[in-house]
């Protein structure tokens, strides 16, 4: 089985108490949060997969170098997700 793996830049904004809000500039409505970096990365990958798994046309990822972030401790991480695997775990609905 061939897998559809995608990678997009995500902006991680620390809120304090190890909480991070994660957004994907290229994907409308792709927003999540996590406690600690491990949980934040897991939540980011799941959000990415849930927003894209049933799309036939994917947005082009912005180059990290072209993104601007606030000077509030935010940082950019490339996040990957397996859309094939995500599709097997979800009911087919449009977001």
């Amino acid at each position: 089985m061939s897998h559809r793996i995608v990678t997009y830049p995500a902006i991680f904004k620390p809120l304090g108490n190890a909480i991070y809000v994660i957004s994907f500039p290229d994907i409308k409505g792709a927003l999540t949060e996590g406690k600690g970096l491990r949980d934040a990365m897991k939540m980011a990958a799941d959000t990415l997969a849930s927003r894209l798994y049933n799309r036939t046309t994917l947005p082009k990822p912005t180059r990290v170098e072209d993104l601007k972030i606030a000077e509030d401790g935010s940082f950019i991480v490339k996040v990957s997700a397996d859309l094939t695997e995500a599709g097997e775990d979800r009911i087919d609905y449009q977001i």
Side-chain angles (χ1 to χ4, degrees):
M1 171 196 275
S2 162
H3 287 261
R4 291 176 60 203
I5 308 292
V6 297
T7 303
Y8 283 85
I11 298 172
F12 283 62
K13 179 180 179 178
L15 295 183
N17 294 326
I19 302 290
Y20 295 89
V21 172
I22 305 105
S23 61
F24 290 87
D26 301 310
I27 304 159
K28 183 179 178 182
L31 184 70
T32 191
E33 65 179 44
K35 181 157 180 132
L37 283 175
R38 177 180 286 184
D39 184 53
M41 284 297 293
K42 180 181 176 305
M43 295 300 293
D46 188 55
T47 296
L48 181 61
S50 70
R51 292 291 177 173
L52 298 179
Y53 79 95
N54 61 353
R55 291 193 189 179
T56 54
T57 303
L58 299 173
K60 183 178 178 181
T62 300
R63 293 177 346 137
V64 171
E65 301 80 26
D66 295 337
L67 291 172
K68 300 206 184 319
I69 56 173
E71 293 185 22
D72 58 1
S74 293
F75 54 94
I76 299 169
V77 175
K78 288 185 177 181
V79 176
S80 296
D82 184 336
L83 303 185
T84 304
E85 197 172 286
E88 294 170 0
D89 296 339
R90 291 175 168 77
I91 298 169
D92 191 21
Y93 62 92
Q94 296 293 320
I95 296 178

